[in-house]
Amino acid sequence: MYKIIILIFSICFLNVSHAQNYLNGVSAYEQLNKEYYLGALYTATPIQDAETLLADSRPQKMVIRVTAKRWSPHKFNQLWRQDLALNNSFAENLSLTEAAIAFTTFPQENLTIGDEIEVNFTSKAGTVVTLNGRQVLTYPNKALFNAILNTWIGEVPPSRLFRSDILGTEAIITSKKDVLIERFDTISINPQRLDLVGNWKRAQQDAARALAKAEEELRLQQQAAEDAKRKAAAEKKRLEEERKAAIALAAKRKKEAEEAKKKQQEQLNNASTDEEKAKLAAEQAKLAAAIAAQEAAEARAAELAKQQEGQTQQQLAQDYAERLYKWEVQRDIYKRVSYPEWARQFNQEGVIRIEFIVNSSGQMVGITSLTPTDSGLLGQELKDAVSRAAPFKPFPADLEANQIKMAINYEFTLEERVAEVPPMPEPPAALKTNQELTPEQQAKTWQNYKQQIKADISATIEYPFWAQDLKQQGLVTMEVTVNKEGVVTNAKLKKKTRHAILNQEMLDAADRVGGFSPFPQWINENSVTVTIEHEFKL
């Protein structure tokens, strides 16, 4: 009796704090023994039948109060997209699918204890989703509300107990339920996170301004590059004309020197008096001057040819460095694209083009265009793949630019094949290497390359939050194989811990790293395998 009185008091208290709605049920959402949130459903009157609940047109509200210390956007998206797909059919309803995707992707940072998501439905406003009291999403009718509600009461709910708790088909009289309701009632929003959505919007506005600034800087950079190319072309033409003139002058001086030498020889043969000998000395001076002029003209021609070669090599190196860098970025993005399951259900396929700006440190400044504009699920996946692949590696030394604009086409096809990365660009035949390395220098460069692979993978290893929370520790050893194009082709564990989550993190790190620079041209091996050891220690 005492528990029932407490329950009634709790429900009444909750009803007052939620606009006189009836608390239909409350339960805890867990995955892999980890609790993420407490969910409550408010209705106008008690409803224990799922079909009746979905058909009811009176106001309803789902309240989700986060209990996890850290609920990342990636995990949020993964859990909700999975639950939505299992309990709903989105076929032929693209607008609802897009709204569902918007719901699964709205968090811009980790959610934490006290954050509150509300999904409200009224016949007048339709479905309205808020986070900590700030609106994030709307839909004109109840379809989105029901799709989200179905994740709780549909054919594949989080658990049978969760479903029965939400529907109120079991009497909430146990001490466990009392505690659950009390916990739900006492969870409150951190005042510092009340304007979380506003902060995200301001951050998006700042990002948009930064992108606009970057686009203008890129325009000026490209204009400067075009001006520089025109000047370089004019300078090349000038040097070529000057070189030809120098060659002609050298030929003229050579002819003059030969004639002077021939004349000198004739005079030498006929010289007999002092006066003739003096004339001969003068002719010898003229010959020396002609030879010197010839040598100077030839030297100038050689210098001009060297300047031309230097300009050509610099431009070739710059162009090749940019093509190779863009290929590496494209390779890393392709690796992270997955065909959206909902897109398969709708038989969506086609070529999507995305353009974005990358600065010299490898940071993605922003996406400038996505075509076609109505690319929906496929476009969103390509955008997500770019975000997952970023940041990219810094520009190489030969790529003299503050930022570059990337343009990538990706073909989504329903056929059982994956879009292939275009072949790695070959260096121009006319491009010369800086210098020949000694065997010792080659060995050192190759060793540094392998060390860089280990360093880059090690830098991506994270200590999983749940593993830290459960005090899991251990040493893991992994072998990673990289092919000559810098692509990770295999990763396997040589030594495992007894904790699966730590072992998996090592493999995930090898996948996250994306790729590396291609092998140096003088390396004849097709692949290299390195060993990486990492200790997870609190």
Side-chain angles (χ1 to χ4, degrees):
M1 182 64 179
Y2 173 78
K3 290 179 179 177
I4 294 175
I5 293 172
I6 293 295
L7 172 61
I8 293 172
F9 175 80
S10 300
I11 291 177
C12 290
F13 180 82
L14 288 169
N15 288 343
V16 170
S17 63
H18 287 87
Q20 304 300 325
N21 285 343
Y22 175 81
L23 176 61
N24 206 70
V26 59
S27 194
Y29 182 96
E30 296 181 356
Q31 277 282 336
L32 300 176
N33 297 320
K34 195 70 182 181
E35 184 179 283
Y36 284 88
Y37 65 82
L38 297 182
L41 174 64
Y42 293 87
T43 54
T45 56
I47 302 176
Q48 295 186 340
D49 178 69
E51 292 300 322
T52 303
L53 192 58
L54 294 170
D56 190 7
S57 60
R58 293 174 296 176
Q60 295 178 3
K61 174 162 49 181
M62 299 171 65
V63 181
I64 299 160
R65 291 183 177 171
V66 179
T67 57
K69 293 179 181 178
R70 177 178 179 271
W71 194 0
S72 70
H74 174 72
K75 195 65 178 179
F76 184 94
N77 176 278
Q78 182 185 56
L79 294 179
W80 280 107
R81 185 170 290 196
Q82 169 186 286
D83 291 347
L84 283 165
L86 288 173
N87 291 281
N88 296 279
S89 174
F90 293 95
E92 306 304 326
N93 195 338
L94 184 58
S95 67
L96 178 59
T97 303
E98 291 175 343
I101 292 173
F103 175 74
T104 65
T105 58
F106 82 78
Q108 303 297 307
E109 63 180 77
N110 296 333
L111 300 181
T112 190
I113 297 173
D115 286 335
E116 181 177 279
I117 300 168
E118 286 193 3
V119 185
N120 288 275
F121 166 72
T122 62
S123 57
K124 183 177 181 180
T127 303
V128 178
V129 179
T130 63
L131 173 64
N132 296 346
R134 303 295 192 271
Q135 181 176 300
V136 295
L137 176 64
T138 63
Y139 195 73
N141 53 48
K142 198 186 180 191
L144 179 61
F145 183 92
N146 281 352
I148 299 172
L149 180 58
N150 258 331
T151 67
W152 287 2
I153 63 171
E155 294 182 359
V156 191
S159 67
R160 284 194 307 168
L161 179 60
F162 189 100
R163 185 177 189 273
S164 64
D165 283 348
I166 293 298
L167 291 174
T169 53
E170 294 183 7
I172 310 177
I173 58 175
T174 65
S175 58
K176 180 179 179 180
K177 285 299 179 184
D178 290 342
V179 171
L180 195 60
I181 294 175
E182 184 178 358
R183 282 184 59 206
F184 182 84
D185 190 44
T186 55
I187 296 172
S188 60
I189 303 170
N190 184 336
Q192 295 181 347
R193 294 177 67 83
L194 281 171
D195 198 27
L196 201 57
V197 174
N199 292 339
W200 295 346
K201 289 180 178 178
R202 285 186 286 275
Q204 289 173 350
Q205 292 168 353
D206 291 343
R209 284 192 289 269
L211 179 58
K213 181 180 178 182
E215 286 186 286
E216 176 61 18
E217 290 176 352
L218 183 61
R219 186 188 67 79
L220 294 174
Q221 176 184 296
Q222 290 172 337
Q223 182 178 328
E226 290 299 322
D227 291 343
K229 281 185 178 181
R230 284 192 292 271
K231 289 180 181 179
E235 178 66 7
K236 183 177 180 180
K237 182 179 179 181
R238 186 190 69 78
L239 289 173
E240 178 63 16
E241 291 174 351
E242 190 175 344
R243 186 182 70 84
K244 288 179 179 178
I247 291 173
L249 180 62
K252 180 181 179 182
R253 295 289 183 259
K254 183 178 181 180
K255 182 178 180 181
E256 290 174 350
E258 289 175 348
E259 290 176 351
K261 187 175 182 181
K262 182 179 178 181
K263 184 176 180 180
Q264 180 186 23
Q265 187 61 44
E266 291 175 352
Q267 290 175 341
L268 182 62
N269 293 335
N270 299 325
S272 58
T273 64
D274 291 342
E275 183 179 349
E276 288 174 342
K277 290 179 180 179
K279 287 183 178 180
L280 181 60
E283 290 299 326
Q284 285 178 333
K286 287 183 180 180
L287 175 60
I291 292 174
Q294 174 195 342
E295 292 175 346
E298 290 176 346
R300 178 57 179 163
E303 179 187 348
L304 291 170
K306 187 176 181 180
Q307 288 182 26
Q308 279 185 305
E309 176 66 14
Q311 282 189 346
T312 301
Q313 287 295 312
Q314 183 179 10
Q315 190 60 51
L316 286 173
Q318 167 83 3
D319 292 344
Y320 177 61
E322 182 170 337
R323 287 192 293 114
L324 185 59
Y325 184 87
K326 288 183 174 180
W327 176 84
E328 291 176 0
V329 170
Q330 184 174 13
R331 174 199 64 188
D332 293 349
I333 291 171
Y334 267 49
K335 183 178 179 180
R336 288 169 169 79
V337 177
S338 297
Y339 210 124
E341 188 56 37
W342 288 350
R344 286 189 183 276
Q345 292 178 15
F346 295 145
N347 294 323
Q348 293 181 1
E349 59 181 347
V351 176
I352 308 299
R353 180 180 177 85
I354 189 169
E355 296 182 1
F356 55 96
I357 296 175
V358 178
N359 65 21
S360 58
S361 63
Q363 299 291 329
M364 186 184 72
V365 179
I367 295 171
T368 58
S369 72
L370 186 70
T371 52
T373 54
D374 58 347
S375 53
L377 294 165
L378 302 181
Q380 183 63 48
E381 173 57 27
L382 190 54
K383 287 171 62 177
D384 291 345
V386 172
S387 298
R388 290 191 292 267
F392 309 99
K393 72 175 189 178
F395 290 178
D398 287 334
L399 183 48
E400 298 176 356
N402 294 325
Q403 51 194 13
I404 60 173
K405 191 169 189 176
M406 293 289 308
I408 291 178
N409 296 320
Y410 189 93
E411 182 183 11
F412 291 91
T413 174
L414 294 171
E415 299 175 8
E416 291 300 321
R417 63 181 176 87
V418 179
E420 295 183 358
V421 181
M424 183 178 72
E426 294 289 339
L431 180 62
K432 299 177 181 178
T433 56
N434 292 333
Q435 60 180 8
E436 292 295 329
L437 299 179
T438 66
E440 292 77 13
Q441 289 173 325
Q442 287 186 354
K444 184 176 181 181
T445 300
W446 185 229
Q447 183 63 27
N448 289 342
Y449 182 91
K450 291 184 284 188
Q451 290 295 333
Q452 191 63 49
I453 291 175
K454 297 169 68 172
D456 287 354
I457 294 177
S458 296
T460 69
I461 299 173
E462 301 175 354
Y463 207 139
F465 175 78
W466 304 131
Q468 293 184 60
D469 200 39
L470 296 172
K471 312 298 183 187
Q472 295 179 353
Q473 304 182 78
L475 180 69
V476 185
T477 303
M478 174 176 63
E479 281 187 353
V480 176
T481 301
V482 178
N483 69 13
K484 63 182 180 181
E485 293 185 347
V487 177
V488 176
T489 58
N490 188 42
K492 60 181 180 180
L493 300 180
K494 300 297 290 183
K495 181 180 179 181
K496 304 178 181 180
T497 71
R498 59 191 182 89
H499 306 298
I501 191 171
L502 299 181
N503 299 331
Q504 186 60 45
E505 172 57 25
M506 289 291 285
L507 297 173
D508 290 345
D511 181 67
R512 280 196 300 268
V513 76
F516 306 93
S517 299
F519 289 2
Q521 295 180 30
W522 39 263
I523 291 294
N524 295 321
E525 300 178 35
N526 290 322
S527 65
V528 64
T529 299
V530 299
T531 301
I532 299 169
E533 190 177 84
H534 185 82
E535 183 175 12
F536 294 93
K537 187 176 181 180
L538 294 171

